[in-house]
Amino acid sequence: MITVCIPAYQAGAFIGETVSSVLAQSFDDFRIEIAIDPSEGDKDSTEAALEPFRDDPRVNISTNPRRLGWAGNFNALLQRVETPFYAPLPHDDIWASDYLATFFPLVSEHPKASVAYGDMTMFDANGITGFRSVALPQGEDRMTHLIRFMVQGAHAMPWRGVTRQSAIAVTQGFPTDLWGGFAVEAEYALGLLEAGPVIHVPKALYRKRVFQPQERMSASKARTIDWTVEDRLNAWKRHCHALEVRMRRMMSTFKPTSHEVFLAELAFRAAMLMRRHSFVTPGLDKAELASLASLRSYLPSIDHPLTPCVAEQLRWFDRAAQSRTE
């Protein structure tokens, strides 16, 4: 019923634990597709680490003829999915043993749902280091979920869930770009919201591995470490445009009220400015803050249950402005 898609690159130190967490699932109607992106230069121990799994009929291991990059590699894996459902799993992360048993029934029994996903803990060699969630409560309509997704920073949590195969046609695969896959997982997650209702379960059954700087550079940092500020800005602009195009297309089908459109667009703008602060260059100029303040002034007139959530999101900019003056 499920294809587990694992894109791998220089993963010899940890991919064995990742694959083992899948093979230990209490729900066992799955196959595993692993695609190794060839390493450029450094000796790669990924194939050797996967050797113990080659005789397992549930596991298929292949090596790409050329380097695709992480986004291209995952996109290529999606094209191989022939089962009704699939589940992405980055090469260094781990599932709890009831991960598939928890999420598969929810998405499979809801014929319109695109994905079922949960929360996530982060861990390193010393144990748990953090928790992350994008909460989209069940029972809310899809426009409300869209606003909540933006209010919570447009983070990509839904992309890690058990997903209906038909969603691939709506997301158009997994996005790739000319910037090493800058935040494309967030674009894909928004595509899942477009593809159908999403089901969030407030349980942390997913563990994301993080590394100390002295151990290993994170993949996202490694992709961008040599970029100029102009490179970062261009990648961010492309990302913002891609998200906005998809968001507006979604809203055209949801038929939202003018208040809902305003909240979604304001939350989107705030989320993108936060992402620029985090990944492009720290700080926000006075013109950006003034423009946001102008839009913010309309919030008291917006009669909607999520108005307080957007107002709380915008308080981040108050704190950012305050820190610049101290």
PDB file of all heavy atoms in Angstrom, residues 9 24 28 47-48 55 58 69 80 98 110 126 135 141 168 203 208 216-217 243 287 298:
ATOM      1  N   TYR A   9      22.301  10.744   0.348  1.00  0.00           N
ATOM      2  CA  TYR A   9      23.535  11.370  -0.143  1.00  0.00           C
ATOM      3  C   TYR A   9      24.528  11.430   1.012  1.00  0.00           C
ATOM      4  O   TYR A   9      24.227  11.991   2.067  1.00  0.00           O
ATOM      5  CB  TYR A   9      23.257  12.775  -0.666  1.00  0.00           C
ATOM      6  CG  TYR A   9      24.510  13.520  -1.113  1.00  0.00           C
ATOM      7  CD1 TYR A   9      25.202  13.129  -2.255  1.00  0.00           C
ATOM      8  CD2 TYR A   9      24.985  14.599  -0.382  1.00  0.00           C
ATOM      9  CE1 TYR A   9      26.336  13.795  -2.671  1.00  0.00           C
ATOM     10  CE2 TYR A   9      26.119  15.285  -0.789  1.00  0.00           C
ATOM     11  CZ  TYR A   9      26.801  14.882  -1.923  1.00  0.00           C
ATOM     12  OH  TYR A   9      27.926  15.550  -2.334  1.00  0.00           O
ATOM     13  N   ALA A  24      11.092  -1.846  11.127  1.00  0.00           N
ATOM     14  CA  ALA A  24      10.543  -2.191  12.443  1.00  0.00           C
ATOM     15  C   ALA A  24       9.102  -1.725  12.613  1.00  0.00           C
ATOM     16  O   ALA A  24       8.528  -1.864  13.699  1.00  0.00           O
ATOM     17  CB  ALA A  24      11.407  -1.571  13.536  1.00  0.00           C
ATOM     18  N   ASP A  28       3.090  -3.362   8.108  1.00  0.00           N
ATOM     19  CA  ASP A  28       4.177  -3.890   7.281  1.00  0.00           C
ATOM     20  C   ASP A  28       3.858  -4.005   5.792  1.00  0.00           C
ATOM     21  O   ASP A  28       4.593  -4.651   5.044  1.00  0.00           O
ATOM     22  CB  ASP A  28       4.631  -5.250   7.810  1.00  0.00           C
ATOM     23  CG  ASP A  28       3.512  -6.296   7.777  1.00  0.00           C
ATOM     24  OD1 ASP A  28       2.399  -5.959   7.310  1.00  0.00           O
ATOM     25  OD2 ASP A  28       3.755  -7.428   8.222  1.00  0.00           O
ATOM     26  N   GLU A  47      26.568   3.157   0.132  1.00  0.00           N
ATOM     27  CA  GLU A  47      26.276   1.836  -0.419  1.00  0.00           C
ATOM     28  C   GLU A  47      26.708   0.731   0.544  1.00  0.00           C
ATOM     29  O   GLU A  47      26.000  -0.263   0.717  1.00  0.00           O
ATOM     30  CB  GLU A  47      26.953   1.680  -1.778  1.00  0.00           C
ATOM     31  CG  GLU A  47      26.352   2.579  -2.847  1.00  0.00           C
ATOM     32  CD  GLU A  47      26.714   2.124  -4.249  1.00  0.00           C
ATOM     33  OE1 GLU A  47      27.161   0.977  -4.393  1.00  0.00           O
ATOM     34  OE2 GLU A  47      26.534   2.917  -5.177  1.00  0.00           O
ATOM     35  N   ALA A  48      27.850   0.913   1.164  1.00  0.00           N
ATOM     36  CA  ALA A  48      28.319  -0.107   2.111  1.00  0.00           C
ATOM     37  C   ALA A  48      27.383  -0.200   3.313  1.00  0.00           C
ATOM     38  O   ALA A  48      27.094  -1.304   3.809  1.00  0.00           O
ATOM     39  CB  ALA A  48      29.738   0.241   2.577  1.00  0.00           C
ATOM     40  N   ASP A  55      19.301  -7.914   0.686  1.00  0.00           N
ATOM     41  CA  ASP A  55      18.610  -9.192   0.514  1.00  0.00           C
ATOM     42  C   ASP A  55      17.159  -9.139   0.977  1.00  0.00           C
ATOM     43  O   ASP A  55      16.424 -10.121   0.818  1.00  0.00           O
ATOM     44  CB  ASP A  55      19.349 -10.293   1.283  1.00  0.00           C
ATOM     45  CG  ASP A  55      20.696 -10.615   0.651  1.00  0.00           C
ATOM     46  OD1 ASP A  55      20.846 -10.374  -0.559  1.00  0.00           O
ATOM     47  OD2 ASP A  55      21.590 -11.089   1.383  1.00  0.00           O
ATOM     48  N   ARG A  58      11.722  -6.261   0.489  1.00  0.00           N
ATOM     49  CA  ARG A  58      10.965  -5.012   0.606  1.00  0.00           C
ATOM     50  C   ARG A  58      11.797  -3.788   0.248  1.00  0.00           C
ATOM     51  O   ARG A  58      11.260  -2.692   0.127  1.00  0.00           O
ATOM     52  CB  ARG A  58      10.446  -4.850   2.040  1.00  0.00           C
ATOM     53  CG  ARG A  58       9.466  -5.916   2.474  1.00  0.00           C
ATOM     54  CD  ARG A  58       9.213  -5.841   3.975  1.00  0.00           C
ATOM     55  NE  ARG A  58      10.406  -6.197   4.733  1.00  0.00           N
ATOM     56  CZ  ARG A  58      10.490  -6.170   6.060  1.00  0.00           C
ATOM     57  NH1 ARG A  58       9.432  -5.806   6.769  1.00  0.00           N
ATOM     58  NH2 ARG A  58      11.599  -6.530   6.672  1.00  0.00           N
ATOM     59  N   GLY A  69      20.859  16.322  -6.805  1.00  0.00           N
ATOM     60  CA  GLY A  69      20.547  17.216  -5.700  1.00  0.00           C
ATOM     61  C   GLY A  69      19.397  16.646  -4.882  1.00  0.00           C
ATOM     62  O   GLY A  69      18.646  15.786  -5.342  1.00  0.00           O
ATOM     63  N   ARG A  80       8.560   7.065  -9.325  1.00  0.00           N
ATOM     64  CA  ARG A  80       8.562   5.605  -9.251  1.00  0.00           C
ATOM     65  C   ARG A  80       7.400   5.045  -8.433  1.00  0.00           C
ATOM     66  O   ARG A  80       7.194   3.824  -8.391  1.00  0.00           O
ATOM     67  CB  ARG A  80       9.860   5.114  -8.603  1.00  0.00           C
ATOM     68  CG  ARG A  80      11.130   5.547  -9.301  1.00  0.00           C
ATOM     69  CD  ARG A  80      12.305   4.899  -8.589  1.00  0.00           C
ATOM     70  NE  ARG A  80      13.558   5.570  -8.889  1.00  0.00           N
ATOM     71  CZ  ARG A  80      14.697   5.298  -8.272  1.00  0.00           C
ATOM     72  NH1 ARG A  80      14.717   4.358  -7.337  1.00  0.00           N
ATOM     73  NH2 ARG A  80      15.800   5.952  -8.585  1.00  0.00           N
ATOM     74  N   ASP A  98       5.213   2.859  15.424  1.00  0.00           N
ATOM     75  CA  ASP A  98       3.799   2.937  15.048  1.00  0.00           C
ATOM     76  C   ASP A  98       3.508   4.109  14.119  1.00  0.00           C
ATOM     77  O   ASP A  98       2.363   4.527  13.993  1.00  0.00           O
ATOM     78  CB  ASP A  98       2.922   3.026  16.297  1.00  0.00           C
ATOM     79  CG  ASP A  98       3.286   4.187  17.222  1.00  0.00           C
ATOM     80  OD1 ASP A  98       4.396   4.748  17.063  1.00  0.00           O
ATOM     81  OD2 ASP A  98       2.467   4.536  18.090  1.00  0.00           O
ATOM     82  N   HIS A 110     -10.062   8.391   4.547  1.00  0.00           N
ATOM     83  CA  HIS A 110     -10.653   9.676   4.179  1.00  0.00           C
ATOM     84  C   HIS A 110     -10.337   9.885   2.698  1.00  0.00           C
ATOM     85  O   HIS A 110      -9.259  10.344   2.340  1.00  0.00           O
ATOM     86  CB  HIS A 110     -10.034  10.802   5.017  1.00  0.00           C
ATOM     87  CG  HIS A 110     -10.723  12.121   4.882  1.00  0.00           C
ATOM     88  ND1 HIS A 110     -11.207  12.609   3.690  1.00  0.00           N
ATOM     89  CD2 HIS A 110     -10.998  13.080   5.806  1.00  0.00           C
ATOM     90  CE1 HIS A 110     -11.743  13.795   3.878  1.00  0.00           C
ATOM     91  NE2 HIS A 110     -11.636  14.109   5.152  1.00  0.00           N
ATOM     92  N   ASN A 126      23.230  13.706  21.991  1.00  0.00           N
ATOM     93  CA  ASN A 126      22.964  13.826  23.423  1.00  0.00           C
ATOM     94  C   ASN A 126      21.497  13.662  23.796  1.00  0.00           C
ATOM     95  O   ASN A 126      21.145  13.724  24.967  1.00  0.00           O
ATOM     96  CB  ASN A 126      23.456  15.184  23.925  1.00  0.00           C
ATOM     97  CG  ASN A 126      24.951  15.356  23.736  1.00  0.00           C
ATOM     98  OD1 ASN A 126      25.721  14.455  24.052  1.00  0.00           O
ATOM     99  ND2 ASN A 126      25.362  16.496  23.205  1.00  0.00           N
ATOM    100  N   ALA A 135       0.217  22.920  13.439  1.00  0.00           N
ATOM    101  CA  ALA A 135      -1.070  22.400  13.866  1.00  0.00           C
ATOM    102  C   ALA A 135      -2.182  22.906  12.954  1.00  0.00           C
ATOM    103  O   ALA A 135      -2.421  24.106  12.849  1.00  0.00           O
ATOM    104  CB  ALA A 135      -1.345  22.830  15.307  1.00  0.00           C
ATOM    105  N   ASP A 141     -12.219  24.242   7.827  1.00  0.00           N
ATOM    106  CA  ASP A 141     -12.238  24.213   6.374  1.00  0.00           C
ATOM    107  C   ASP A 141     -10.844  24.486   5.822  1.00  0.00           C
ATOM    108  O   ASP A 141      -9.943  24.931   6.535  1.00  0.00           O
ATOM    109  CB  ASP A 141     -13.253  25.219   5.812  1.00  0.00           C
ATOM    110  CG  ASP A 141     -12.909  26.646   6.198  1.00  0.00           C
ATOM    111  OD1 ASP A 141     -11.968  27.213   5.625  1.00  0.00           O
ATOM    112  OD2 ASP A 141     -13.591  27.201   7.089  1.00  0.00           O
ATOM    113  N   ILE A 168       0.391  13.717  -6.201  1.00  0.00           N
ATOM    114  CA  ILE A 168       1.566  14.055  -7.018  1.00  0.00           C
ATOM    115  C   ILE A 168       1.162  14.873  -8.236  1.00  0.00           C
ATOM    116  O   ILE A 168       1.872  15.800  -8.646  1.00  0.00           O
ATOM    117  CB  ILE A 168       2.315  12.778  -7.438  1.00  0.00           C
ATOM    118  CG1 ILE A 168       2.849  12.049  -6.207  1.00  0.00           C
ATOM    119  CG2 ILE A 168       3.455  13.105  -8.400  1.00  0.00           C
ATOM    120  CD1 ILE A 168       3.472  10.693  -6.506  1.00  0.00           C
ATOM    121  N   LYS A 203       0.796  14.161  17.628  1.00  0.00           N
ATOM    122  CA  LYS A 203       1.673  13.167  18.247  1.00  0.00           C
ATOM    123  C   LYS A 203       3.039  13.248  17.567  1.00  0.00           C
ATOM    124  O   LYS A 203       3.119  13.350  16.345  1.00  0.00           O
ATOM    125  CB  LYS A 203       1.103  11.749  18.087  1.00  0.00           C
ATOM    126  CG  LYS A 203      -0.204  11.507  18.823  1.00  0.00           C
ATOM    127  CD  LYS A 203      -0.724  10.093  18.575  1.00  0.00           C
ATOM    128  CE  LYS A 203       0.147   9.050  19.237  1.00  0.00           C
ATOM    129  NZ  LYS A 203      -0.415   7.676  19.121  1.00  0.00           N
ATOM    130  N   LYS A 208      13.745  13.962  13.917  1.00  0.00           N
ATOM    131  CA  LYS A 208      14.659  14.583  12.952  1.00  0.00           C
ATOM    132  C   LYS A 208      16.040  14.726  13.578  1.00  0.00           C
ATOM    133  O   LYS A 208      16.196  15.332  14.636  1.00  0.00           O
ATOM    134  CB  LYS A 208      14.141  15.957  12.534  1.00  0.00           C
ATOM    135  CG  LYS A 208      15.080  16.703  11.592  1.00  0.00           C
ATOM    136  CD  LYS A 208      14.484  18.033  11.159  1.00  0.00           C
ATOM    137  CE  LYS A 208      15.476  18.864  10.352  1.00  0.00           C
ATOM    138  NZ  LYS A 208      15.937  18.148   9.140  1.00  0.00           N
ATOM    139  N   ARG A 216      29.003  17.742  11.800  1.00  0.00           N
ATOM    140  CA  ARG A 216      28.624  17.733  10.402  1.00  0.00           C
ATOM    141  C   ARG A 216      27.800  18.981  10.122  1.00  0.00           C
ATOM    142  O   ARG A 216      26.945  19.356  10.921  1.00  0.00           O
ATOM    143  CB  ARG A 216      27.788  16.470  10.086  1.00  0.00           C
ATOM    144  CG  ARG A 216      27.300  16.348   8.643  1.00  0.00           C
ATOM    145  CD  ARG A 216      26.396  15.131   8.523  1.00  0.00           C
ATOM    146  NE  ARG A 216      25.812  15.007   7.192  1.00  0.00           N
ATOM    147  CZ  ARG A 216      26.266  14.194   6.262  1.00  0.00           C
ATOM    148  NH1 ARG A 216      27.287  13.411   6.521  1.00  0.00           N
ATOM    149  NH2 ARG A 216      25.671  14.127   5.076  1.00  0.00           N
ATOM    150  N   MET A 217      28.023  19.607   8.994  1.00  0.00           N
ATOM    151  CA  MET A 217      27.240  20.768   8.610  1.00  0.00           C
ATOM    152  C   MET A 217      25.860  20.311   8.127  1.00  0.00           C
ATOM    153  O   MET A 217      25.741  19.293   7.445  1.00  0.00           O
ATOM    154  CB  MET A 217      27.953  21.542   7.486  1.00  0.00           C
ATOM    155  CG  MET A 217      27.292  22.862   7.116  1.00  0.00           C
ATOM    156  SD  MET A 217      28.174  23.669   5.744  1.00  0.00           S
ATOM    157  CE  MET A 217      29.785  23.912   6.488  1.00  0.00           C
ATOM    158  N   LEU A 243       5.397  30.266  -3.909  1.00  0.00           N
ATOM    159  CA  LEU A 243       4.376  30.092  -2.882  1.00  0.00           C
ATOM    160  C   LEU A 243       3.151  30.966  -3.149  1.00  0.00           C
ATOM    161  O   LEU A 243       2.008  30.524  -2.991  1.00  0.00           O
ATOM    162  CB  LEU A 243       4.953  30.432  -1.507  1.00  0.00           C
ATOM    163  CG  LEU A 243       5.667  29.330  -0.724  1.00  0.00           C
ATOM    164  CD1 LEU A 243       6.168  29.875   0.597  1.00  0.00           C
ATOM    165  CD2 LEU A 243       4.760  28.140  -0.477  1.00  0.00           C
ATOM    166  N   ALA A 287      11.548  50.531   5.478  1.00  0.00           N
ATOM    167  CA  ALA A 287      10.474  50.524   4.479  1.00  0.00           C
ATOM    168  C   ALA A 287       9.622  49.263   4.606  1.00  0.00           C
ATOM    169  O   ALA A 287       8.391  49.316   4.507  1.00  0.00           O
ATOM    170  CB  ALA A 287      11.060  50.626   3.078  1.00  0.00           C
ATOM    171  N   TYR A 298      -5.123  47.565   9.626  1.00  0.00           N
ATOM    172  CA  TYR A 298      -6.482  47.139   9.272  1.00  0.00           C
ATOM    173  C   TYR A 298      -6.963  45.954  10.100  1.00  0.00           C
ATOM    174  O   TYR A 298      -8.158  45.617  10.059  1.00  0.00           O
ATOM    175  CB  TYR A 298      -6.550  46.770   7.786  1.00  0.00           C
ATOM    176  CG  TYR A 298      -6.378  47.931   6.849  1.00  0.00           C
ATOM    177  CD1 TYR A 298      -5.146  48.192   6.260  1.00  0.00           C
ATOM    178  CD2 TYR A 298      -7.442  48.776   6.538  1.00  0.00           C
ATOM    179  CE1 TYR A 298      -4.979  49.269   5.383  1.00  0.00           C
ATOM    180  CE2 TYR A 298      -7.297  49.847   5.675  1.00  0.00           C
ATOM    181  CZ  TYR A 298      -6.056  50.087   5.104  1.00  0.00           C
ATOM    182  OH  TYR A 298      -5.897  51.142   4.253  1.00  0.00           O
TER     183      TYR A 298
END
